[in-house]
Coordinates of all heavy atoms in Angstrom, one line a residue:
M2 N 0.8 -1.2 0.0 CA 0.0 0.0 0.0 C 0.9 1.3 0.0 O 1.8 1.4 0.8 CB -0.9 0.0 1.3 CG -1.7 1.2 1.5 SD -2.7 1.1 3.0 CE -2.0 2.5 4.0
L3 N 0.6 2.1 -0.9 CA 1.3 3.4 -1.0 C 0.7 4.4 0.0 O -0.6 4.3 0.2 CB 1.3 4.0 -2.4 CG 1.9 3.2 -3.5 CD1 1.7 3.8 -4.8 CD2 3.4 2.9 -3.2
K4 N 1.5 5.2 0.6 CA 1.0 6.1 1.7 C 1.3 7.5 1.5 O 2.3 7.9 0.9 CB 1.6 5.7 3.0 CG 1.1 4.3 3.6 CD 1.8 4.0 4.9 CE 3.1 3.3 4.6 NZ 3.8 2.8 5.8
L5 N 0.3 8.3 1.9 CA 0.5 9.8 1.9 C 0.2 10.2 3.4 O -0.8 9.7 4.0 CB -0.5 10.4 1.0 CG -0.5 12.0 0.8 CD1 0.8 12.4 0.1 CD2 -1.7 12.4 0.0
L6 N 1.1 11.0 3.9 CA 0.9 11.5 5.3 C 0.4 12.9 5.2 O 1.0 13.8 4.7 CB 2.3 11.5 6.1 CG 3.1 10.2 5.9 CD1 4.4 10.3 6.7 CD2 2.2 9.0 6.4
V7 N -0.8 13.1 5.8 CA -1.5 14.4 5.7 C -1.7 15.0 7.0 O -2.3 14.3 7.9 CB -2.9 14.2 5.0 CG1 -3.6 15.5 4.8 CG2 -2.8 13.5 3.6
T8 N -1.3 16.2 7.2 CA -1.6 17.0 8.4 C -2.5 18.2 8.1 O -2.1 19.1 7.4 CB -0.2 17.5 9.0 OG1 0.7 16.4 9.2 CG2 -0.5 18.2 10.3
P9 N -3.7 18.2 8.7 CA -4.5 19.3 8.5 C -4.1 20.5 9.4 O -3.3 20.3 10.3 CB -5.9 18.8 8.9 CG -5.7 17.6 9.7 CD -4.3 17.1 9.4
P10 N -4.5 21.7 9.1 CA -4.2 22.8 9.9 C -4.6 22.5 11.4 O -5.7 22.2 11.6 CB -4.9 24.0 9.3 CG -5.3 23.6 8.0 CD -5.4 22.1 8.0
A11 N -3.7 22.7 12.3 CA -3.9 22.5 13.7 C -4.5 21.1 14.0 O -5.2 20.9 14.9 CB -4.9 23.5 14.2
G12 N -4.1 20.1 13.2 CA -4.6 18.8 13.4 C -3.4 17.8 13.5 O -2.2 18.2 13.3
A13 N -3.7 16.6 13.7 CA -2.7 15.5 13.8 C -2.5 14.9 12.4 O -3.4 14.8 11.6 CB -3.2 14.5 14.8
Q14 N -1.2 14.4 12.3 CA -0.9 13.7 11.0 C -1.7 12.4 10.9 O -1.8 11.7 11.8 CB 0.6 13.5 11.0 CG 1.0 12.9 9.6 CD 2.6 12.7 9.6 OE1 3.1 11.8 10.2 NE2 3.3 13.6 8.9
T15 N -2.2 12.2 9.7 CA -3.0 11.0 9.4 C -2.3 10.3 8.2 O -1.9 10.9 7.2 CB -4.4 11.3 9.0 OG1 -5.0 12.0 10.1 CG2 -5.2 10.1 8.8
V16 N -2.3 8.9 8.3 CA -1.7 8.2 7.2 C -2.9 7.8 6.3 O -3.9 7.2 6.7 CB -1.1 6.9 7.7 CG1 -0.6 6.1 6.5 CG2 0.1 7.2 8.6
V17 N -2.8 8.1 5.0 CA -3.9 7.9 4.0 C -3.4 7.0 3.0 O -2.2 7.1 2.5 CB -4.2 9.3 3.4 CG1 -5.2 9.1 2.2 CG2 -4.8 10.2 4.4
E18 N -4.2 6.0 2.6 CA -3.8 5.1 1.5 C -3.9 5.9 0.2 O -4.8 6.6 -0.1 CB -4.8 3.9 1.4 CG -4.4 2.9 0.4 CD -5.3 1.6 0.5 OE1 -6.1 1.5 1.4 OE2 -5.1 0.8 -0.4
A19 N -2.8 5.8 -0.6 CA -2.7 6.6 -1.8 C -2.6 5.8 -3.0 O -1.9 4.8 -3.1 CB -1.4 7.5 -1.7
Q20 N -3.4 6.2 -4.0 CA -3.5 5.4 -5.3 C -2.7 6.1 -6.3 O -2.8 7.3 -6.6 CB -4.9 5.4 -5.7 CG -5.2 4.4 -6.8 CD -6.6 4.4 -7.2 OE1 -7.5 4.6 -6.4 NE2 -6.9 4.2 -8.5
E21 N -1.8 5.3 -7.0 CA -1.0 5.8 -8.1 C -2.0 6.3 -9.2 O -3.0 5.7 -9.5 CB -0.1 4.7 -8.6 CG 0.8 5.1 -9.8 CD 1.7 4.0 -10.2 OE1 1.6 2.9 -9.7 OE2 2.5 4.3 -11.1
G22 N -1.6 7.4 -9.8 CA -2.4 7.9 -10.9 C -3.3 9.0 -10.5 O -3.8 9.8 -11.4
L23 N -3.6 9.2 -9.3 CA -4.3 10.3 -8.8 C -3.4 11.4 -8.4 O -2.2 11.2 -8.2 CB -5.2 10.0 -7.5 CG -6.2 8.9 -7.7 CD1 -6.9 8.7 -6.3 CD2 -7.3 9.3 -8.7
S24 N -3.9 12.7 -8.4 CA -3.1 13.8 -7.9 C -3.1 13.7 -6.3 O -4.0 13.1 -5.7 CB -3.6 15.1 -8.4 OG -4.8 15.4 -7.7
V25 N -2.1 14.4 -5.8 CA -2.1 14.5 -4.3 C -3.4 15.1 -3.8 O -3.9 14.7 -2.8 CB -0.8 15.2 -3.8 CG1 -0.9 15.6 -2.4 CG2 0.4 14.4 -4.1
M26 N -3.9 16.1 -4.5 CA -5.1 16.8 -4.2 C -6.3 15.8 -4.1 O -7.1 15.7 -3.2 CB -5.5 17.9 -5.2 CG -6.8 18.6 -4.9 SD -8.2 17.7 -5.7 CE -8.1 18.2 -7.4
E27 N -6.4 14.9 -5.2 CA -7.5 14.0 -5.2 C -7.4 13.0 -4.1 O -8.4 12.6 -3.5 CB -7.5 13.3 -6.6 CG -7.8 14.2 -7.7 CD -7.6 13.5 -9.1 OE1 -6.5 12.9 -9.3 OE2 -8.4 13.6 -10.0
I28 N -6.2 12.6 -3.7 CA -6.0 11.6 -2.6 C -6.5 12.3 -1.3 O -7.2 11.7 -0.5 CB -4.6 11.2 -2.5 CG1 -4.2 10.4 -3.8 CG2 -4.3 10.4 -1.3 CD1 -2.7 10.2 -4.0
I29 N -6.1 13.5 -1.1 CA -6.5 14.2 0.2 C -8.0 14.5 0.2 O -8.7 14.2 1.2 CB -5.7 15.6 0.3 CG1 -4.2 15.3 0.4 CG2 -6.2 16.3 1.5 CD1 -3.4 16.6 0.3
R30 N -8.5 14.9 -0.9 CA -10.0 15.2 -1.0 C -10.8 13.9 -0.8 O -11.7 13.9 0.0 CB -10.3 15.9 -2.4 CG -11.7 16.3 -2.5 CD -12.0 16.5 -4.0 NE -11.8 15.3 -4.8 CZ -11.7 15.3 -6.1 NH1 -11.9 16.5 -6.8 NH2 -11.5 14.2 -6.8
D31 N -10.4 12.9 -1.5 CA -11.1 11.6 -1.4 C -11.1 11.0 0.0 O -11.9 10.2 0.4 CB -10.6 10.6 -2.5 CG -11.0 11.1 -3.9 OD1 -11.6 12.1 -4.0 OD2 -10.5 10.4 -4.8
A32 N -10.0 11.4 0.8 CA -9.9 10.9 2.1 C -10.8 11.7 3.1 O -10.9 11.3 4.3 CB -8.5 10.9 2.6
G33 N -11.4 12.7 2.6 CA -12.4 13.4 3.4 C -11.9 14.6 4.2 O -12.6 15.1 5.1
F34 N -10.8 15.1 3.8 CA -10.2 16.3 4.5 C -11.0 17.6 4.1 O -10.7 18.1 3.0 CB -8.7 16.5 4.3 CG -7.9 15.4 5.0 CD1 -7.6 14.2 4.4 CD2 -7.5 15.7 6.3 CE1 -6.8 13.3 5.1 CE2 -6.7 14.7 7.0 CZ -6.4 13.5 6.4
E35 N -11.8 18.1 4.9 CA -12.6 19.3 4.6 C -11.7 20.5 4.5 O -12.1 21.5 3.9 CB -13.8 19.5 5.6 CG -14.8 18.3 5.4 CD -15.9 18.5 6.4 OE1 -15.9 19.5 7.2 OE2 -16.8 17.6 6.4
A36 N -10.6 20.5 5.1 CA -9.7 21.6 5.1 C -9.1 21.9 3.7 O -8.5 22.9 3.5 CB -8.6 21.4 6.1
L37 N -9.3 21.0 2.8 CA -8.8 21.1 1.5 C -9.9 21.1 0.5 O -10.2 20.0 -0.1 CB -7.7 20.1 1.2 CG -6.9 20.3 -0.1 CD1 -5.4 20.3 0.1 CD2 -7.2 19.3 -1.2
P38 N -10.6 22.2 0.2 CA -11.8 22.1 -0.6 C -11.6 21.9 -2.1 O -12.4 21.3 -2.8 CB -12.5 23.4 -0.4 CG -11.5 24.3 0.2 CD -10.5 23.5 0.9
A39 N -10.4 22.3 -2.6 CA -10.1 22.1 -4.0 C -11.3 22.5 -4.9 O -11.7 21.7 -5.8 CB -9.7 20.7 -4.2
F40 N -11.7 23.7 -4.8 CA -12.9 24.2 -5.5 C -12.9 24.0 -7.0 O -14.0 23.7 -7.6 CB -13.2 25.6 -5.1 CG -13.7 25.8 -3.7 CD1 -13.1 26.8 -2.9 CD2 -14.7 25.1 -3.2 CE1 -13.5 27.0 -1.6 CE2 -15.2 25.3 -1.9 CZ -14.5 26.3 -1.1
C41 N -11.8 24.2 -7.6 CA -11.8 24.1 -9.1 C -11.6 22.7 -9.6 O -11.5 22.5 -10.8 CB -10.8 25.1 -9.7 SG -9.1 24.5 -9.7
G42 N -11.4 21.7 -8.7 CA -11.3 20.4 -9.1 C -10.0 20.0 -9.9 O -10.0 19.1 -10.6
G43 N -9.0 20.8 -9.7 CA -7.7 20.5 -10.3 C -7.5 21.4 -11.6 O -6.6 21.1 -12.3
G44 N -8.3 22.4 -11.8 CA -8.2 23.2 -13.0 C -7.2 24.3 -12.9 O -7.1 25.2 -13.8
L45 N -6.4 24.4 -11.8 CA -5.4 25.4 -11.6 C -5.9 26.8 -11.7 O -5.4 27.7 -12.4 CB -4.3 25.2 -12.7 CG -2.9 25.8 -12.4 CD1 -2.4 25.5 -11.0 CD2 -1.9 25.5 -13.5
S46 N -7.0 27.0 -10.9 CA -7.6 28.3 -10.9 C -8.1 28.8 -9.5 O -8.7 29.9 -9.4 CB -8.8 28.4 -11.9 OG -9.8 27.5 -11.6
C47 N -7.9 27.9 -8.5 CA -8.5 28.4 -7.2 C -7.5 28.5 -6.0 O -7.7 29.2 -5.1 CB -9.6 27.4 -6.8 SG -9.0 25.8 -6.2
A48 N -6.4 27.7 -6.1 CA -5.4 27.7 -5.0 C -5.9 27.1 -3.7 O -5.3 27.2 -2.6 CB -4.7 29.0 -4.8
T49 N -7.1 26.5 -3.7 CA -7.7 25.9 -2.4 C -7.2 24.5 -2.3 O -7.9 23.7 -1.6 CB -9.2 26.0 -2.3 OG1 -9.8 25.3 -3.4 CG2 -9.6 27.5 -2.4
C50 N -6.1 24.2 -2.9 CA -5.5 22.8 -2.7 C -4.0 23.1 -2.2 O -3.2 22.2 -2.4 CB -5.5 22.0 -4.0 SG -4.6 22.8 -5.3
H51 N -3.8 24.2 -1.7 CA -2.4 24.6 -1.2 C -1.9 23.8 -0.1 O -2.6 23.6 0.9 CB -2.6 26.1 -0.8 CG -1.3 26.8 -0.4 ND1 -1.3 28.0 0.1 CD2 0.0 26.3 -0.3 CE1 0.0 28.4 0.4 NE2 0.7 27.3 0.2
V52 N -0.8 23.2 -0.3 CA -0.1 22.4 0.8 C 1.3 22.8 0.9 O 1.9 23.4 0.0 CB -0.2 20.9 0.5 CG1 -1.6 20.4 0.4 CG2 0.5 20.5 -0.8
Y53 N 1.9 22.4 2.1 CA 3.3 22.6 2.3 C 3.9 21.1 2.2 O 3.4 20.2 3.0 CB 3.6 23.2 3.7 CG 2.9 24.5 3.9 CD1 2.0 24.6 5.0 CD2 3.0 25.5 3.1 CE1 1.3 25.8 5.2 CE2 2.4 26.7 3.3 CZ 1.5 26.9 4.4 OH 0.9 28.0 4.6
V54 N 4.9 21.0 1.4 CA 5.4 19.6 1.1 C 6.7 19.5 1.9 O 7.5 20.4 2.0 CB 5.7 19.5 -0.4 CG1 6.3 18.1 -0.6 CG2 4.4 19.6 -1.2
D55 N 6.9 18.3 2.5 CA 8.1 17.9 3.2 C 9.3 18.2 2.3 O 9.4 17.6 1.2 CB 8.0 16.5 3.6 CG 9.2 16.0 4.4 OD1 10.3 16.7 4.4 OD2 9.2 14.9 4.9
P56 N 10.2 19.1 2.7 CA 11.4 19.4 1.9 C 12.2 18.2 1.4 O 12.8 18.2 0.4 CB 12.2 20.4 2.7 CG 11.2 20.9 3.7 CD 10.2 19.9 4.0
A57 N 12.1 17.1 2.2 CA 12.9 15.9 1.9 C 12.4 15.3 0.5 O 13.2 14.6 -0.1 CB 12.7 14.9 3.0
F58 N 11.2 15.7 0.1 CA 10.7 15.2 -1.2 C 10.7 16.2 -2.3 O 10.3 15.9 -3.4 CB 9.2 14.7 -1.0 CG 9.0 13.5 -0.2 CD1 9.1 13.5 1.2 CD2 8.9 12.2 -0.9 CE1 8.9 12.3 1.9 CE2 8.7 11.1 -0.1 CZ 8.7 11.1 1.2
A59 N 11.3 17.4 -2.0 CA 11.2 18.4 -3.0 C 11.8 18.1 -4.4 O 11.2 18.4 -5.4 CB 12.0 19.7 -2.4
E60 N 12.9 17.3 -4.4 CA 13.5 17.0 -5.7 C 12.8 15.9 -6.4 O 13.0 15.7 -7.6 CB 15.0 16.5 -5.4 CG 15.8 17.7 -4.8 CD 17.3 17.5 -5.0 OE1 17.7 16.5 -5.5 OE2 18.0 18.5 -4.7
L61 N 11.8 15.3 -5.8 CA 11.0 14.3 -6.5 C 9.7 14.8 -7.1 O 9.0 14.1 -7.8 CB 10.6 13.1 -5.5 CG 11.8 12.4 -4.9 CD1 11.3 11.4 -3.8 CD2 12.6 11.6 -6.0
L62 N 9.5 16.1 -6.8 CA 8.2 16.7 -7.3 C 8.4 17.2 -8.7 O 9.6 17.6 -9.1 CB 7.8 17.8 -6.4 CG 7.6 17.5 -4.9 CD1 7.2 18.7 -4.2 CD2 6.5 16.4 -4.8
P63 N 7.4 17.3 -9.5 CA 7.5 17.9 -10.8 C 7.8 19.4 -10.7 O 7.4 20.0 -9.7 CB 6.1 17.7 -11.5 CG 5.2 17.4 -10.3 CD 6.0 16.8 -9.2
P64 N 8.5 20.0 -11.6 CA 8.8 21.4 -11.5 C 7.5 22.2 -11.5 O 6.5 21.8 -12.0 CB 9.6 21.7 -12.7 CG 9.7 20.5 -13.5 CD 9.0 19.4 -12.8
M65 N 7.6 23.4 -10.8 CA 6.4 24.2 -10.7 C 6.2 25.0 -12.0 O 7.2 25.6 -12.5 CB 6.6 25.2 -9.6 CG 5.4 26.1 -9.3 SD 5.7 27.3 -8.0 CE 5.8 26.1 -6.6
S66 N 5.0 25.0 -12.6 CA 4.8 25.8 -13.8 C 4.6 27.3 -13.4 O 4.4 27.6 -12.3 CB 3.5 25.3 -14.5 OG 2.4 25.6 -13.7
D67 N 4.8 28.1 -14.5 CA 4.6 29.5 -14.2 C 3.2 29.8 -13.7 O 3.0 30.7 -12.9 CB 4.8 30.3 -15.5 CG 6.3 30.3 -15.9 OD1 7.1 30.0 -15.1 OD2 6.6 30.6 -17.1
D68 N 2.2 29.1 -14.2 CA 0.8 29.3 -13.8 C 0.6 28.9 -12.3 O -0.1 29.6 -11.6 CB -0.2 28.5 -14.6 CG -0.4 29.1 -16.0 OD1 0.0 30.2 -16.2 OD2 -0.9 28.4 -16.9
E69 N 1.2 27.8 -11.9 CA 1.1 27.4 -10.5 C 1.8 28.5 -9.6 O 1.3 28.9 -8.6 CB 1.7 26.1 -10.3 CG 1.6 25.6 -8.8 CD 2.3 24.2 -8.5 OE1 2.7 23.6 -9.5 OE2 2.4 23.9 -7.4
D70 N 3.0 28.9 -10.1 CA 3.7 29.9 -9.3 C 2.9 31.2 -9.2 O 2.8 31.8 -8.1 CB 5.0 30.2 -10.0 CG 6.0 31.0 -9.2 OD1 6.0 30.9 -8.0 OD2 6.9 31.7 -9.8
A71 N 2.3 31.6 -10.2 CA 1.5 32.9 -10.2 C 0.3 32.7 -9.3 O -0.1 33.6 -8.5 CB 1.0 33.2 -11.6
L72 N -0.3 31.6 -9.3 CA -1.5 31.3 -8.4 C -1.1 31.3 -7.0 O -1.8 31.9 -6.1 CB -2.2 30.0 -8.8 CG -3.7 29.8 -8.5 CD1 -4.5 31.0 -8.9 CD2 -4.2 28.5 -9.1
L73 N 0.1 30.7 -6.7 CA 0.5 30.7 -5.3 C 0.9 32.1 -4.8 O 0.8 32.4 -3.7 CB 1.7 29.7 -5.2 CG 1.4 28.2 -5.0 CD1 2.6 27.4 -5.2 CD2 0.7 28.0 -3.7
D74 N 1.4 32.9 -5.7 CA 1.7 34.3 -5.4 C 0.5 35.0 -4.8 O 0.6 35.9 -4.0 CB 2.3 35.1 -6.6 CG 3.8 35.0 -6.6 OD1 4.4 34.6 -5.7 OD2 4.3 35.3 -7.7
G75 N -0.7 34.6 -5.3 CA -1.9 35.3 -4.8 C -2.5 34.6 -3.6 O -3.5 35.0 -3.0
A76 N -1.9 33.4 -3.2 CA -2.4 32.7 -2.1 C -1.8 33.2 -0.8 O -0.7 33.7 -0.7 CB -2.0 31.2 -2.2
E77 N -2.6 33.2 0.2 CA -2.1 33.6 1.5 C -1.2 32.6 2.1 O -1.3 31.4 1.8 CB -3.3 33.8 2.5 CG -4.2 35.0 2.1 CD -5.2 35.3 3.1 OE1 -5.1 34.9 4.3 OE2 -6.2 36.0 2.7
Q78 N -0.3 33.0 2.9 CA 0.6 32.1 3.7 C 1.4 31.2 2.8 O 1.6 30.1 3.1 CB -0.3 31.3 4.7 CG -1.2 32.2 5.4 CD -1.6 31.7 6.8 OE1 -0.8 31.1 7.4 NE2 -2.9 31.9 7.1
R79 N 1.9 31.8 1.7 CA 2.9 31.0 0.9 C 4.2 30.9 1.6 O 4.6 31.8 2.3 CB 3.1 31.7 -0.5 CG 4.0 31.0 -1.4 CD 4.2 31.5 -2.8 NE 5.0 30.6 -3.6 CZ 5.2 30.8 -4.9 NH1 4.6 31.8 -5.5 NH2 5.9 29.9 -5.5
R80 N 4.8 29.7 1.5 CA 6.1 29.4 2.1 C 7.0 28.8 1.0 O 6.4 28.4 0.0 CB 5.9 28.4 3.2 CG 5.1 28.9 4.4 CD 5.1 27.8 5.5 NE 4.1 28.0 6.5 CZ 3.7 27.0 7.3 NH1 4.2 25.8 7.3 NH2 2.7 27.3 8.2
P81 N 8.3 28.6 1.3 CA 9.1 28.0 0.3 C 8.6 26.6 -0.1 O 8.9 26.1 -1.2 CB 10.5 27.9 1.0 CG 10.5 29.1 1.9 CD 9.0 29.2 2.4
A82 N 8.0 25.9 0.9 CA 7.6 24.5 0.6 C 6.2 24.4 0.0 O 5.6 23.4 -0.2 CB 7.6 23.7 1.9
S83 N 5.6 25.6 -0.4 CA 4.2 25.6 -0.9 C 4.1 25.0 -2.3 O 5.0 25.2 -3.2 CB 3.7 27.0 -1.0 OG 3.5 27.6 0.2
R84 N 3.1 24.2 -2.5 CA 2.7 23.7 -3.8 C 1.2 23.6 -3.9 O 0.5 23.5 -2.8 CB 3.3 22.3 -4.1 CG 4.8 22.2 -4.2 CD 5.4 23.0 -5.4 NE 4.8 22.6 -6.7 CZ 5.4 21.7 -7.6 NH1 6.6 21.3 -7.3 NH2 4.8 21.4 -8.7
L85 N 0.7 23.5 -5.1 CA -0.7 23.2 -5.3 C -0.8 21.7 -5.5 O -0.2 21.2 -6.4 CB -1.3 24.0 -6.5 CG -1.3 25.5 -6.3 CD1 -1.8 26.2 -7.6 CD2 -2.1 25.9 -5.1
S86 N -1.5 21.1 -4.6 CA -1.5 19.6 -4.6 C -2.1 19.0 -5.8 O -1.9 17.8 -6.2 CB -2.2 19.1 -3.3 OG -3.5 19.5 -3.2
C87 N -2.9 19.8 -6.6 CA -3.5 19.2 -7.8 C -2.5 19.1 -8.9 O -2.8 18.5 -9.9 CB -4.7 20.1 -8.2 SG -4.3 21.7 -8.9
Q88 N -1.4 19.7 -8.7 CA -0.3 19.7 -9.7 C 0.8 18.7 -9.4 O 1.8 18.6 -10.1 CB 0.3 21.1 -9.8 CG -0.7 22.2 -10.2 CD -1.4 21.9 -11.5 OE1 -0.8 21.7 -12.6 NE2 -2.7 21.7 -11.5
I89 N 0.5 17.8 -8.5 CA 1.5 16.8 -8.1 C 0.9 15.4 -8.3 O 0.0 14.9 -7.6 CB 1.9 16.9 -6.6 CG1 2.4 18.3 -6.3 CG2 2.9 15.9 -6.3 CD1 2.6 18.5 -4.8
P90 N 1.2 14.8 -9.4 CA 0.8 13.4 -9.7 C 1.4 12.5 -8.7 O 2.6 12.5 -8.4 CB 1.2 13.1 -11.1 CG 1.8 14.3 -11.6 CD 2.1 15.2 -10.5
F91 N 0.6 11.6 -8.1 CA 1.2 10.6 -7.1 C 1.6 9.3 -7.8 O 0.9 8.8 -8.7 CB 0.1 10.3 -6.0 CG 0.7 9.6 -4.9 CD1 1.4 10.2 -3.9 CD2 0.7 8.2 -4.8 CE1 2.0 9.5 -2.8 CE2 1.2 7.5 -3.8 CZ 1.9 8.1 -2.8
G92 N 2.7 8.8 -7.3 CA 3.2 7.5 -7.7 C 4.1 6.9 -6.7 O 4.4 7.5 -5.7
P93 N 4.6 5.7 -7.0 CA 5.5 5.0 -6.0 C 6.7 5.8 -5.5 O 7.1 5.7 -4.4 CB 5.9 3.8 -6.8 CG 4.9 3.6 -7.8 CD 4.4 4.9 -8.2
A94 N 7.2 6.7 -6.4 CA 8.4 7.5 -6.0 C 8.1 8.4 -4.8 O 8.9 8.8 -4.1 CB 9.0 8.3 -7.1
L95 N 6.8 8.7 -4.7 CA 6.4 9.7 -3.6 C 5.8 8.9 -2.4 O 5.1 9.5 -1.5 CB 5.3 10.7 -4.2 CG 5.9 11.6 -5.2 CD1 4.8 12.6 -5.7 CD2 7.1 12.4 -4.7
D96 N 5.9 7.6 -2.4 CA 5.4 6.8 -1.2 C 5.9 7.4 0.1 O 7.1 7.6 0.2 CB 5.8 5.4 -1.4 CG 5.2 4.5 -0.3 OD1 4.1 4.8 0.2 OD2 5.8 3.4 0.0
G97 N 5.0 7.7 1.0 CA 5.5 8.3 2.3 C 5.6 9.8 2.3 O 6.0 10.4 3.3
L98 N 5.2 10.4 1.2 CA 5.2 11.9 1.1 C 4.4 12.5 2.2 O 3.2 12.1 2.5 CB 4.6 12.3 -0.2 CG 4.5 13.8 -0.5 CD1 5.9 14.5 -0.6 CD2 3.7 14.1 -1.7
A99 N 4.9 13.5 2.9 CA 4.2 14.2 4.0 C 3.9 15.6 3.5 O 4.7 16.3 3.0 CB 5.1 14.3 5.2
V100 N 2.6 15.9 3.6 CA 2.1 17.3 3.3 C 1.3 17.8 4.4 O 0.6 17.1 5.1 CB 1.3 17.3 2.0 CG1 2.1 16.8 0.8 CG2 0.0 16.4 2.1
E101 N 1.3 19.1 4.5 CA 0.5 19.8 5.5 C -0.4 20.7 4.8 O 0.0 21.5 3.9 CB 1.5 20.7 6.4 CG 0.8 21.5 7.5 CD 1.8 22.3 8.3 OE1 3.0 22.0 8.2 OE2 1.3 23.3 8.9
I102 N -1.7 20.7 5.1 CA -2.7 21.5 4.4 C -2.5 23.0 4.9 O -2.5 23.2 6.1 CB -4.1 21.0 4.6 CG1 -4.2 19.6 4.1 CG2 -5.1 21.9 4.0 CD1 -5.6 18.9 4.5
A103 N -2.4 23.9 4.0 CA -2.3 25.3 4.3 C -3.6 25.8 5.0 O -4.6 25.3 4.7 CB -2.0 26.2 3.1
P104 N -3.5 26.7 6.0 CA -4.7 27.1 6.7 C -5.6 28.0 5.8 O -5.1 28.6 4.8 CB -4.1 27.9 7.9 CG -2.8 28.3 7.5 CD -2.3 27.3 6.5
D105 N -6.8 28.1 6.2 CA -7.8 29.1 5.7 C -8.0 29.0 4.2 O -7.9 30.0 3.4 CB -7.3 30.5 6.0 CG -7.2 30.7 7.5 OD1 -8.0 30.1 8.2 OD2 -6.3 31.5 7.9
L106 N -8.2 27.8 3.7 CA -8.4 27.6 2.3 C -9.8 27.7 1.9 O -10.2 27.9 0.7 CB -7.9 26.2 1.8 CG -6.4 26.0 1.9 CD1 -6.0 24.6 1.4 CD2 -5.6 27.0 1.2
G107 N -10.7 27.7 2.8 CA -12.1 27.8 2.5 C -12.7 29.2 2.4 O -13.8 29.4 2.0
Ligands
FES16 S1 -7.8 22.4 -7.0 FE1 -7.9 24.5 -7.7 S2 -5.8 25.0 -8.1 FE2 -5.7 23.0 -7.4

């Protein structure tokens, strides 16, 4: 079983079963985390899938597109580890990836 470690804002880390082929956003959303509404459904237009990614995995992530970067610039509480989780395809190389959901996404 592939795993994603999800920490909601002000919450405890939870281990979620992760399916290859889904985005990190879809895995978090499907696991029922209301703190990550992902309003645009992965259309790269809402930034309500904002997460902070464990820096240990940074080099395994796909590069950030200019559109993702611009959208994150408009997001509150951007940090160096910020990514939009809908832009991260999940696969075996990311097994054990830890992400923290950014606060105030709703
Ligand atoms: S779900 Fe809207 S930008 Fe990711």
Side-chain angles (χ1 to χ4, degrees):
M2 171 181 119
L3 301 175
K4 288 179 274 187
L5 182 68
L6 311 180
V7 182
T8 305
Q14 188 178 72
T15 302
V16 179
V17 173
E18 185 171 352
Q20 189 181 329
E21 182 176 4
L23 296 179
S24 70
V25 170
M26 176 277 280
E27 291 170 315
I28 294 165
I29 298 171
R30 183 195 59 192
D31 293 354
F34 287 91
E35 294 179 1
L37 190 125
F40 287 129
C41 80
L45 199 51
S46 62
C47 73
T49 62
C50 63
H51 182 184
V52 296
Y53 308 122
V54 178
D55 180 347
F58 286 82
E60 299 205 346
L61 298 174
L62 302 180
M65 184 182 294
S66 69
D67 290 345
D68 286 344
E69 181 183 353
D70 194 25
L72 202 52
L73 277 168
D74 268 346
E77 293 188 21
Q78 313 207 37
R79 182 172 187 174
R80 298 180 193 166
S83 288
R84 292 298 303 259
L85 295 178
S86 56
C87 70
Q88 300 302 302
I89 305 172
F91 189 83
L95 295 181
D96 186 26
L98 175 70
V100 298
E101 180 184 341
I102 300 173
D105 301 328
L106 295 181

